[in-house]
Amino acid sequence: NAGVTQTPKFQVLKTGQSMTLQCAQDMNHEYMSWYRQDPGMGLRLIHYSVGAGITDQGEVPNGYNVSRSTTEDFPLRLLSAAPSQTSVYFCASRGEGETDTQYFGPGTRLTVL
Amino acid sequence: GNSVTQMEGPVTLSEEAFLTINCTYTATGYPSLFWYVQYPGEGLQLLLKATKADDKGSNKGFEATYRKETTSFHLEKGSVQVSDSAVYFCALSEWDNFNKFYFGSGTKLNVKP
């Protein structure tokens, strides 16, 4: 049981490039979320999903796209990276029976030059 | 709107000292409250939680009580260890949407031997 996994661990992009951050969980959790962590600001919710085919916006969704084609995977896409998207990105999941507890992945550190 | 405010760090203590990290919140309805811990290079881990007023969450010697009258959820530990050095995040989830979490900015704790 690997829990929540994220790839890559580190990534450097140039402004305007696109990329996808991968997130997968093997706990059969319905609920998955993406957060970004910036110094002095804690974690902010980008997008979340309540099940395959269903996604919704969080606090800071602009510049990011998501989709949920399977229960296990929840990729985050940056279509045209900007320096303001330099951050650490965390994926999290939550089970149906655990209404409050989220399980976090190890994070992806992204730098946009 | 919903928000979480926690004391700025870093907090530096000697081993076996008493720890308090203050956390206050603003929320509509009846949120659930959490403390998460982040060790260097890792994702966040749930430390403890409380889902209603006057509940006390506890784990690994840490405690926090949900105080609705003061909108607070302060983290305490009677005797810290070097291994407690980490960043601590206070968080809340919306009472009618467990997928929406709001995090404080984090408090770094350094414990010296």
Side-chain angles (χ1 to χ4, degrees), chain B residues 35-100:
Chain B
W35 278 100
Y36 279 84
V37 58
Q38 184 180 33
Y39 298 101
E42 298 183 9
L44 279 70
Q45 303 173 25
L46 178 66
L47 180 60
L48 54 85
K49 67 179 181 180
T51 58
K52 61 182 186 296
D54 299 326
D55 269 2
K56 177 185 284 188
S58 61
N59 186 26
K60 299 181 181 179
F62 291 89
E63 293 182 339
T65 301
Y66 189 143
R67 302 286 188 199
K68 189 167 175 62
E69 64 275 14
T70 55
T71 62
S72 64
F73 193 55
H74 305 321
L75 182 68
E76 296 182 336
K77 186 175 185 182
S79 176
V80 294
Q81 306 300 312
V82 172
S83 58
D84 293 327
S85 297
V87 180
Y88 292 82
F89 291 91
C90 186
L92 68 84
S93 68
E94 291 187 348
W95 73 280
D96 58 350
N97 186 346
F98 296 125
N99 296 296
K100 285 199 166 183

Side-chain angles (χ1 to χ4, degrees), chain A residues 31 33 35 37 40-43 45 48-50 57-59 90 94 99-102 104-106, chain B residues 32 34 36 38 41-46 49 51 89 93 97-106:
Chain A
Y31 306 96
S33 306
Y35 294 86
Q37 182 181 25
M41 302 190 71
L43 277 73
L45 182 64
Y48 66 96
S49 169
V50 300
Q57 296 181 350
E59 267 186 280
F90 288 100
R94 176 174 71 77
T99 54
D100 304 327
T101 304
Q102 293 195 97
F104 284 81
Chain B
S32 294
F34 308 84
Y36 279 84
Q38 184 180 33
E42 298 183 9
L44 279 70
Q45 303 173 25
L46 178 66
K49 67 179 181 180
T51 58
F89 291 91
S93 68
N97 186 346
F98 296 125
N99 296 296
K100 285 199 166 183
F101 273 65
Y102 298 84
F103 286 83
S105 56

Side-chain angles (χ1 to χ4, degrees), chain A residues 56-92:
Chain A
D56 204 350
Q57 296 181 350
E59 267 186 280
V60 289
N62 294 338
Y64 307 95
N65 283 349
V66 292
S67 60
R68 184 97 179 271
S69 56
T70 67
T71 299
E72 294 77 20
D73 300 300
F74 190 43
L76 179 71
R77 297 184 186 85
L78 286 70
L79 297 179
S80 179
S84 60
Q85 294 178 304
T86 294
S87 188
V88 180
Y89 291 84
F90 288 100
C91 180

